[in-house]
Amino acid sequence: MVGLAGLSADSVRVAARSPEPDRGTPGRRRRRLREAALSAGMLAPAVVVYTVMTVVPVVVALYLSLTDWNGFSSADFVGLANYARLFDDPDTTRAAVVTVIVALFGSVGMLGLGLVYALQLKERNWANSFFRTLAYYPHVISSLILGFLWSAILGTNGAINNTLADLGLGPVGFLFDENLAVITLVGVIVWAGFGFNVVLFVAGLQTVPRELVEAAQIDGASRRQINRRIVIPMIAPVVTVAMVLNLVGLIKVYDIVVSLTDGGPAGATETIAYVILTRSFAGTDVGFATAQAVGLMVASAALSVVVTALRNRQDRAAAS
Amino acid sequence: MTPNLRAGARRRPSPVRVALLTLLFAVMTVPVYLLLVNSFKSQQDIQNSPFSLPFARISLDHLAAAVQSPQYNVLQSYGFTLLLVVAVDVLCILFAGPAAYVIARSLKRRTQFLLLFFLAGTFIPASALIVPLIYVLRAIGLGNTVTGLILHDVAMTLPVSIFLFVGFIRTVPRDIDHAAAIDGAGRLRTYWQVIFPLTRPAVITVLILNSIGIWNDFISPQILLSPGSGTYTVTTAIYAGISQYSTDLTKVFPNLLLAVAPVIIFFVYMQRHIISGLTVGALKG
């Protein structure tokens, strides 16, 4: 971050204004042609790998989603039948609802806790930096592993239920009660992800001018008034970006579902990504799986477009 | 800054702050504590007293068994995962850097369009892409191969990497390129010898983002490499092992500890870089 800020905007503007080398003589033209070929060569590896590994599969998905292919025998073109099935299929509907619940409540939980702790940890000192790191560390661990760890803690034979049993309290079905399992899933996701929001918000809070807060303090504003009236409105753009980042991240939740609940009990925690990979695709329903995948891509793209629009608006606001 | 105002506010931490931070400490450390102590206990001790650390009965046997386990060996999978991380990192830097340089320095509209083309990749969830990708890899003869997995991982890392590099290179004055050109360097040489060293902070950010992402990735290796291949990453080894022995906690905890340990050590060692790197990645990507 320091490095990014190191080069001033002025130097860029100066560079942009500097005159282009003049062109025209045959030697220069040949040189320019060679440079153009070289530029294409420098772009080529990235463009080729990205196209073959990302763009082509998307096109293939669009095609496969219009067929009834099972992955082995010949495929018949079925038009939009798979897409119609998306809305009829109870598994897909339930998974869509679970995904929306996870994305919505997970996002709200991460934002809320992120904000609460960012306000506590915004000053730069040793203790705050320790607590920020503590809140953040799950972000670098694979969600698959976090899910297995929490499932060993919250399962029927897990640490929490064994301790409750010692106190004479019955087992709590954190992972085995259909409703509670969804809440547990959201809880573990929030636990793993809120620290990232804390870090984002602290970065935002440190840009709030101190003079503003001090002026309000001198005017006799309470800490709470300062937070509500000055600090939170000033970091609103960062909050918006964090919210949409959370949403975009959460609509594709898969790993943690596999390891925490494996979709159970009775499919109560299956998300869309889980259904695509574990059910439709593994169940050799390739045509339908790709229709679900296309649906997820569209939802993800729509959310990402919202991010970009919000961010552009924020950049314009910052520039004005 | 007016020190007396601030110091006054700091001296007596409010009860709310104390309560919030105590709760944070408990919630964030208890799972790691349980992971740590239960990796050295018998099944009976884990079940009867999950929180205790019975010094008389702790043993390294379960951890040793996990280290030596012939099947789904997490320790062995470090090697393959590390190879994957290094290969993807190297290829990503080799491919993304020059491409980003051309995009950052070009004034042509169609080159600028390429940036959008790459950015579109960030919209696509891996779980949606991987099903059709299997058929593409099969068609080009890379089905179920490590090469196919590496190329897929590289493609997944390119969008954000190129975006970060372009943003950074644009802050490097063009005068530097012109000076290099006058000294007779071609574009490729200008990039590798002059611009690339200047973009070190961006390179570090990209390396951290990619390394953590590839190390933790589960979907791609799980689906692009069949279990029959016998090649496991840390995540696929853990998955294969734990879904088999999920009730045997003396296998679950030591294996999870082995999987988490290198990441935690790396994180503690590099935490400043990691946090700022991932924040930049998120705010810009």
Side-chain angles (χ1 to χ4, degrees), chain A residues 55-100:
Chain A
V55 182
V56 173
V58 171
V59 176
V60 170
L62 288 171
Y63 166 73
L64 288 178
S65 71
L66 303 173
T67 71
D68 65 355
W69 199 35
N70 59 16
F72 302 100
S73 61
S74 65
D76 284 325
F77 191 77
V78 295
L80 294 173
N82 286 323
Y83 289 96
R85 229 178 104 193
L86 283 182
F87 297 96
D88 291 341
D89 184 58
D91 283 348
T92 311
T93 317
R94 181 181 56 191
V97 171
V98 171
T99 308
V100 170

Short mmCIF file of all heavy atoms in Angstrom, two decimals, chain A residues 55-100:
data_model
loop_
_atom_site.label_atom_id
_atom_site.label_comp_id
_atom_site.label_asym_id
_atom_site.label_seq_id
_atom_site.Cartn_x
_atom_site.Cartn_y
_atom_site.Cartn_z
N VAL A 55 -13.04 -18.77 -21.14
CA VAL A 55 -14.07 -18.32 -22.08
C VAL A 55 -14.70 -19.52 -22.80
O VAL A 55 -15.93 -19.63 -22.87
CB VAL A 55 -13.48 -17.31 -23.09
CG1 VAL A 55 -14.56 -16.82 -24.03
CG2 VAL A 55 -12.84 -16.15 -22.36
N VAL A 56 -13.84 -20.44 -23.28
CA VAL A 56 -14.37 -21.61 -23.99
C VAL A 56 -15.31 -22.43 -23.08
O VAL A 56 -16.42 -22.76 -23.50
CB VAL A 56 -13.23 -22.47 -24.59
CG1 VAL A 56 -13.77 -23.76 -25.18
CG2 VAL A 56 -12.48 -21.67 -25.65
N PRO A 57 -14.92 -22.71 -21.83
CA PRO A 57 -15.86 -23.45 -20.97
C PRO A 57 -17.20 -22.73 -20.79
O PRO A 57 -18.24 -23.40 -20.68
CB PRO A 57 -15.12 -23.56 -19.64
CG PRO A 57 -13.70 -23.48 -19.99
CD PRO A 57 -13.60 -22.58 -21.18
N VAL A 58 -17.18 -21.41 -20.74
CA VAL A 58 -18.46 -20.70 -20.59
C VAL A 58 -19.33 -20.96 -21.82
O VAL A 58 -20.54 -21.25 -21.71
CB VAL A 58 -18.25 -19.19 -20.37
CG1 VAL A 58 -19.57 -18.44 -20.44
CG2 VAL A 58 -17.59 -18.94 -19.03
N VAL A 59 -18.69 -20.91 -22.99
CA VAL A 59 -19.44 -21.17 -24.23
C VAL A 59 -19.96 -22.61 -24.23
O VAL A 59 -21.12 -22.88 -24.56
CB VAL A 59 -18.56 -20.88 -25.47
CG1 VAL A 59 -19.30 -21.24 -26.76
CG2 VAL A 59 -18.14 -19.43 -25.49
N VAL A 60 -19.06 -23.54 -23.82
CA VAL A 60 -19.46 -24.94 -23.75
C VAL A 60 -20.64 -25.11 -22.79
O VAL A 60 -21.59 -25.85 -23.06
CB VAL A 60 -18.26 -25.83 -23.33
CG1 VAL A 60 -18.71 -27.24 -23.01
CG2 VAL A 60 -17.21 -25.84 -24.42
N ALA A 61 -20.58 -24.39 -21.65
CA ALA A 61 -21.66 -24.49 -20.67
C ALA A 61 -22.97 -24.01 -21.29
O ALA A 61 -24.03 -24.63 -21.10
CB ALA A 61 -21.33 -23.65 -19.43
N LEU A 62 -22.89 -22.90 -22.02
CA LEU A 62 -24.11 -22.38 -22.65
C LEU A 62 -24.70 -23.42 -23.59
O LEU A 62 -25.91 -23.64 -23.62
CB LEU A 62 -23.81 -21.09 -23.41
CG LEU A 62 -23.55 -19.86 -22.54
CD1 LEU A 62 -23.05 -18.70 -23.37
CD2 LEU A 62 -24.80 -19.48 -21.76
N TYR A 63 -23.81 -24.12 -24.34
CA TYR A 63 -24.29 -25.14 -25.26
C TYR A 63 -24.85 -26.35 -24.50
O TYR A 63 -25.98 -26.77 -24.73
CB TYR A 63 -23.17 -25.56 -26.23
CG TYR A 63 -23.52 -26.83 -26.97
CD1 TYR A 63 -24.47 -26.82 -27.98
CD2 TYR A 63 -22.91 -28.04 -26.62
CE1 TYR A 63 -24.82 -27.99 -28.64
CE2 TYR A 63 -23.26 -29.22 -27.27
CZ TYR A 63 -24.21 -29.19 -28.28
OH TYR A 63 -24.56 -30.35 -28.92
N LEU A 64 -24.05 -26.87 -23.57
CA LEU A 64 -24.48 -28.08 -22.85
C LEU A 64 -25.78 -27.87 -22.09
O LEU A 64 -26.59 -28.79 -21.95
CB LEU A 64 -23.39 -28.53 -21.87
CG LEU A 64 -22.13 -29.17 -22.44
CD1 LEU A 64 -21.14 -29.50 -21.33
CD2 LEU A 64 -22.47 -30.43 -23.23
N SER A 65 -26.00 -26.64 -21.62
CA SER A 65 -27.21 -26.38 -20.83
C SER A 65 -28.47 -26.50 -21.69
O SER A 65 -29.57 -26.55 -21.15
CB SER A 65 -27.13 -25.01 -20.19
OG SER A 65 -27.25 -24.00 -21.17
N LEU A 66 -28.27 -26.54 -23.01
CA LEU A 66 -29.43 -26.68 -23.90
C LEU A 66 -29.62 -28.14 -24.34
O LEU A 66 -30.43 -28.43 -25.22
CB LEU A 66 -29.27 -25.79 -25.14
CG LEU A 66 -29.08 -24.29 -24.84
CD1 LEU A 66 -28.74 -23.52 -26.11
CD2 LEU A 66 -30.30 -23.71 -24.16
N THR A 67 -28.84 -29.04 -23.73
CA THR A 67 -28.94 -30.45 -24.11
C THR A 67 -29.32 -31.30 -22.90
O THR A 67 -29.27 -30.83 -21.77
CB THR A 67 -27.60 -30.99 -24.65
OG1 THR A 67 -26.69 -31.09 -23.54
CG2 THR A 67 -27.00 -30.10 -25.72
N ASP A 68 -29.64 -32.56 -23.19
CA ASP A 68 -29.94 -33.47 -22.08
C ASP A 68 -28.77 -34.43 -21.84
O ASP A 68 -28.96 -35.55 -21.40
CB ASP A 68 -31.23 -34.25 -22.37
CG ASP A 68 -31.08 -35.18 -23.57
OD1 ASP A 68 -30.00 -35.15 -24.23
OD2 ASP A 68 -32.03 -35.93 -23.87
N TRP A 69 -27.57 -33.97 -22.14
CA TRP A 69 -26.41 -34.85 -22.07
C TRP A 69 -26.20 -35.39 -20.66
O TRP A 69 -26.38 -34.67 -19.67
CB TRP A 69 -25.15 -34.09 -22.51
CG TRP A 69 -24.03 -35.00 -22.90
CD1 TRP A 69 -24.15 -36.19 -23.52
CD2 TRP A 69 -22.65 -34.78 -22.69
NE1 TRP A 69 -22.91 -36.74 -23.74
CE2 TRP A 69 -21.96 -35.89 -23.23
CE3 TRP A 69 -21.90 -33.75 -22.13
CZ2 TRP A 69 -20.58 -36.00 -23.21
CZ3 TRP A 69 -20.53 -33.86 -22.11
CH2 TRP A 69 -19.88 -34.98 -22.64
N ASN A 70 -25.82 -36.69 -20.58
CA ASN A 70 -25.55 -37.29 -19.27
C ASN A 70 -24.06 -37.50 -19.06
O ASN A 70 -23.64 -38.09 -18.07
CB ASN A 70 -26.31 -38.61 -19.10
CG ASN A 70 -25.91 -39.62 -20.16
OD1 ASN A 70 -24.89 -39.47 -20.84
ND2 ASN A 70 -26.72 -40.65 -20.33
N GLY A 71 -23.25 -37.02 -20.01
CA GLY A 71 -21.80 -37.15 -19.85
C GLY A 71 -21.21 -38.31 -20.61
O GLY A 71 -20.01 -38.39 -20.76
N PHE A 72 -22.05 -39.23 -21.08
CA PHE A 72 -21.52 -40.42 -21.77
C PHE A 72 -22.09 -40.58 -23.18
O PHE A 72 -21.40 -40.42 -24.16
CB PHE A 72 -21.79 -41.67 -20.94
CG PHE A 72 -21.21 -41.59 -19.58
CD1 PHE A 72 -22.00 -41.27 -18.49
CD2 PHE A 72 -19.85 -41.81 -19.38
CE1 PHE A 72 -21.44 -41.17 -17.22
CE2 PHE A 72 -19.28 -41.72 -18.12
CZ PHE A 72 -20.08 -41.41 -17.05
N SER A 73 -23.39 -40.88 -23.25
CA SER A 73 -23.96 -41.18 -24.55
C SER A 73 -24.21 -39.87 -25.33
O SER A 73 -23.81 -38.80 -24.91
CB SER A 73 -25.26 -41.96 -24.38
OG SER A 73 -26.17 -41.17 -23.65
N SER A 74 -24.90 -39.99 -26.46
CA SER A 74 -25.10 -38.81 -27.30
C SER A 74 -26.08 -37.85 -26.64
O SER A 74 -26.94 -38.22 -25.86
CB SER A 74 -25.63 -39.23 -28.67
OG SER A 74 -26.92 -39.78 -28.50
N ALA A 75 -25.89 -36.58 -26.99
CA ALA A 75 -26.71 -35.54 -26.37
C ALA A 75 -27.79 -35.08 -27.34
O ALA A 75 -27.55 -34.95 -28.53
CB ALA A 75 -25.83 -34.36 -25.99
N ASP A 76 -28.98 -34.86 -26.82
CA ASP A 76 -30.05 -34.30 -27.65
C ASP A 76 -30.29 -32.86 -27.25
O ASP A 76 -30.22 -32.51 -26.07
CB ASP A 76 -31.35 -35.09 -27.46
CG ASP A 76 -31.30 -36.41 -28.21
OD1 ASP A 76 -30.69 -36.43 -29.31
OD2 ASP A 76 -31.82 -37.41 -27.68
N PHE A 77 -30.58 -32.05 -28.26
CA PHE A 77 -30.87 -30.65 -28.02
C PHE A 77 -32.27 -30.55 -27.42
O PHE A 77 -33.23 -31.08 -27.96
CB PHE A 77 -30.79 -29.91 -29.36
CG PHE A 77 -30.81 -28.43 -29.21
CD1 PHE A 77 -29.67 -27.73 -28.81
CD2 PHE A 77 -31.96 -27.71 -29.47
CE1 PHE A 77 -29.69 -26.36 -28.67
CE2 PHE A 77 -31.98 -26.34 -29.34
CZ PHE A 77 -30.84 -25.66 -28.94
N VAL A 78 -32.38 -29.92 -26.24
CA VAL A 78 -33.69 -29.85 -25.61
C VAL A 78 -34.17 -28.41 -25.41
O VAL A 78 -35.11 -28.16 -24.66
CB VAL A 78 -33.71 -30.58 -24.24
CG1 VAL A 78 -33.50 -32.06 -24.42
CG2 VAL A 78 -32.68 -29.98 -23.29
N GLY A 79 -33.48 -27.47 -26.08
CA GLY A 79 -33.91 -26.08 -25.95
C GLY A 79 -33.76 -25.58 -24.52
O GLY A 79 -32.78 -25.88 -23.85
N LEU A 80 -34.75 -24.86 -24.05
CA LEU A 80 -34.65 -24.25 -22.73
C LEU A 80 -35.23 -25.13 -21.62
O LEU A 80 -35.45 -24.66 -20.51
CB LEU A 80 -35.36 -22.89 -22.74
CG LEU A 80 -34.70 -21.82 -23.64
CD1 LEU A 80 -35.56 -20.57 -23.72
CD2 LEU A 80 -33.30 -21.47 -23.14
N ALA A 81 -35.44 -26.41 -21.95
CA ALA A 81 -36.09 -27.30 -20.97
C ALA A 81 -35.36 -27.32 -19.63
O ALA A 81 -35.98 -27.32 -18.57
CB ALA A 81 -36.18 -28.71 -21.54
N ASN A 82 -33.99 -27.34 -19.68
CA ASN A 82 -33.24 -27.37 -18.42
C ASN A 82 -33.48 -26.11 -17.60
O ASN A 82 -33.51 -26.16 -16.37
CB ASN A 82 -31.74 -27.51 -18.69
CG ASN A 82 -31.37 -28.91 -19.14
OD1 ASN A 82 -31.94 -29.88 -18.65
ND2 ASN A 82 -30.45 -29.00 -20.09
N TYR A 83 -33.62 -24.98 -18.30
CA TYR A 83 -33.84 -23.72 -17.58
C TYR A 83 -35.24 -23.70 -16.97
O TYR A 83 -35.43 -23.20 -15.86
CB TYR A 83 -33.62 -22.52 -18.51
CG TYR A 83 -32.16 -22.35 -18.85
CD1 TYR A 83 -31.64 -22.87 -20.03
CD2 TYR A 83 -31.30 -21.71 -17.97
CE1 TYR A 83 -30.29 -22.74 -20.32
CE2 TYR A 83 -29.96 -21.58 -18.25
CZ TYR A 83 -29.46 -22.09 -19.43
OH TYR A 83 -28.12 -21.98 -19.70
N ALA A 84 -36.20 -24.27 -17.71
CA ALA A 84 -37.56 -24.36 -17.15
C ALA A 84 -37.52 -25.24 -15.90
O ALA A 84 -38.17 -24.94 -14.89
CB ALA A 84 -38.51 -24.94 -18.18
N ARG A 85 -36.70 -26.33 -15.98
CA ARG A 85 -36.60 -27.24 -14.85
C ARG A 85 -36.02 -26.58 -13.61
O ARG A 85 -36.31 -26.97 -12.48
CB ARG A 85 -35.71 -28.41 -15.25
CG ARG A 85 -36.31 -29.79 -14.95
CD ARG A 85 -35.37 -30.87 -15.43
NE ARG A 85 -34.65 -31.48 -14.33
CZ ARG A 85 -33.59 -32.26 -14.50
NH1 ARG A 85 -33.11 -32.48 -15.72
NH2 ARG A 85 -33.00 -32.80 -13.47
N LEU A 86 -35.15 -25.56 -13.82
CA LEU A 86 -34.55 -24.85 -12.68
C LEU A 86 -35.63 -24.36 -11.73
O LEU A 86 -35.47 -24.37 -10.52
CB LEU A 86 -33.75 -23.64 -13.16
CG LEU A 86 -32.38 -23.84 -13.77
CD1 LEU A 86 -31.76 -22.50 -14.11
CD2 LEU A 86 -31.47 -24.58 -12.79
N PHE A 87 -36.74 -23.90 -12.31
CA PHE A 87 -37.78 -23.29 -11.49
C PHE A 87 -38.74 -24.32 -10.91
O PHE A 87 -39.42 -24.05 -9.93
CB PHE A 87 -38.53 -22.23 -12.30
CG PHE A 87 -37.62 -21.11 -12.73
CD1 PHE A 87 -37.02 -21.11 -13.99
CD2 PHE A 87 -37.33 -20.07 -11.86
CE1 PHE A 87 -36.16 -20.10 -14.36
CE2 PHE A 87 -36.46 -19.05 -12.22
CZ PHE A 87 -35.87 -19.07 -13.49
N ASP A 88 -38.79 -25.52 -11.56
CA ASP A 88 -39.70 -26.56 -11.07
C ASP A 88 -39.04 -27.47 -10.03
O ASP A 88 -39.71 -28.06 -9.20
CB ASP A 88 -40.13 -27.48 -12.24
CG ASP A 88 -41.02 -26.73 -13.20
OD1 ASP A 88 -41.58 -25.70 -12.77
OD2 ASP A 88 -41.15 -27.19 -14.35
N ASP A 89 -37.71 -27.58 -10.15
CA ASP A 89 -37.01 -28.58 -9.37
C ASP A 89 -36.96 -28.17 -7.90
O ASP A 89 -36.37 -27.15 -7.55
CB ASP A 89 -35.60 -28.74 -9.94
CG ASP A 89 -34.82 -29.83 -9.23
OD1 ASP A 89 -35.31 -30.96 -9.24
OD2 ASP A 89 -33.76 -29.53 -8.65
N PRO A 90 -37.56 -28.98 -7.01
CA PRO A 90 -37.59 -28.59 -5.58
C PRO A 90 -36.20 -28.49 -4.96
O PRO A 90 -35.95 -27.61 -4.14
CB PRO A 90 -38.41 -29.69 -4.90
CG PRO A 90 -38.59 -30.77 -5.91
CD PRO A 90 -38.27 -30.25 -7.26
N ASP A 91 -35.27 -29.37 -5.38
CA ASP A 91 -33.90 -29.32 -4.84
C ASP A 91 -33.23 -28.00 -5.19
O ASP A 91 -32.56 -27.38 -4.36
CB ASP A 91 -33.05 -30.46 -5.42
CG ASP A 91 -33.37 -31.78 -4.75
OD1 ASP A 91 -34.06 -31.75 -3.71
OD2 ASP A 91 -32.94 -32.81 -5.27
N THR A 92 -33.41 -27.59 -6.47
CA THR A 92 -32.78 -26.35 -6.90
C THR A 92 -33.40 -25.17 -6.17
O THR A 92 -32.68 -24.26 -5.72
CB THR A 92 -32.97 -26.17 -8.42
OG1 THR A 92 -32.59 -27.38 -9.06
CG2 THR A 92 -32.14 -25.02 -8.95
N THR A 93 -34.72 -25.19 -6.03
CA THR A 93 -35.40 -24.08 -5.34
C THR A 93 -34.90 -23.99 -3.90
O THR A 93 -34.55 -22.90 -3.43
CB THR A 93 -36.92 -24.31 -5.34
OG1 THR A 93 -37.29 -24.76 -6.63
CG2 THR A 93 -37.65 -23.03 -5.01
N ARG A 94 -34.85 -25.14 -3.21
CA ARG A 94 -34.41 -25.12 -1.83
C ARG A 94 -32.96 -24.63 -1.73
O ARG A 94 -32.63 -23.80 -0.88
CB ARG A 94 -34.52 -26.53 -1.22
CG ARG A 94 -34.09 -26.57 0.24
CD ARG A 94 -34.18 -27.96 0.79
NE ARG A 94 -33.40 -28.89 -0.01
CZ ARG A 94 -33.45 -30.20 0.12
NH1 ARG A 94 -34.26 -30.74 1.01
NH2 ARG A 94 -32.71 -30.99 -0.63
N ALA A 95 -32.11 -25.13 -2.66
CA ALA A 95 -30.71 -24.72 -2.63
C ALA A 95 -30.60 -23.22 -2.90
O ALA A 95 -29.76 -22.53 -2.30
CB ALA A 95 -29.91 -25.50 -3.66
N ALA A 96 -31.44 -22.70 -3.79
CA ALA A 96 -31.41 -21.26 -4.07
C ALA A 96 -31.79 -20.48 -2.82
O ALA A 96 -31.16 -19.47 -2.49
CB ALA A 96 -32.33 -20.93 -5.23
N VAL A 97 -32.83 -20.97 -2.11
CA VAL A 97 -33.26 -20.28 -0.89
C VAL A 97 -32.13 -20.32 0.15
O VAL A 97 -31.79 -19.29 0.76
CB VAL A 97 -34.55 -20.92 -0.33
CG1 VAL A 97 -34.88 -20.36 1.05
CG2 VAL A 97 -35.71 -20.68 -1.29
N VAL A 98 -31.52 -21.51 0.34
CA VAL A 98 -30.42 -21.63 1.30
C VAL A 98 -29.29 -20.67 0.92
O VAL A 98 -28.73 -19.97 1.78
CB VAL A 98 -29.90 -23.09 1.37
CG1 VAL A 98 -28.62 -23.17 2.20
CG2 VAL A 98 -30.97 -24.00 1.96
N THR A 99 -28.98 -20.62 -0.38
CA THR A 99 -27.89 -19.75 -0.83
C THR A 99 -28.19 -18.29 -0.51
O THR A 99 -27.32 -17.56 -0.03
CB THR A 99 -27.66 -19.93 -2.35
OG1 THR A 99 -27.51 -21.32 -2.62
CG2 THR A 99 -26.42 -19.19 -2.81
N VAL A 100 -29.45 -17.88 -0.77
CA VAL A 100 -29.81 -16.49 -0.50
C VAL A 100 -29.75 -16.20 1.01
O VAL A 100 -29.23 -15.16 1.43
CB VAL A 100 -31.21 -16.17 -1.07
CG1 VAL A 100 -31.71 -14.82 -0.58
CG2 VAL A 100 -31.18 -16.20 -2.59
#
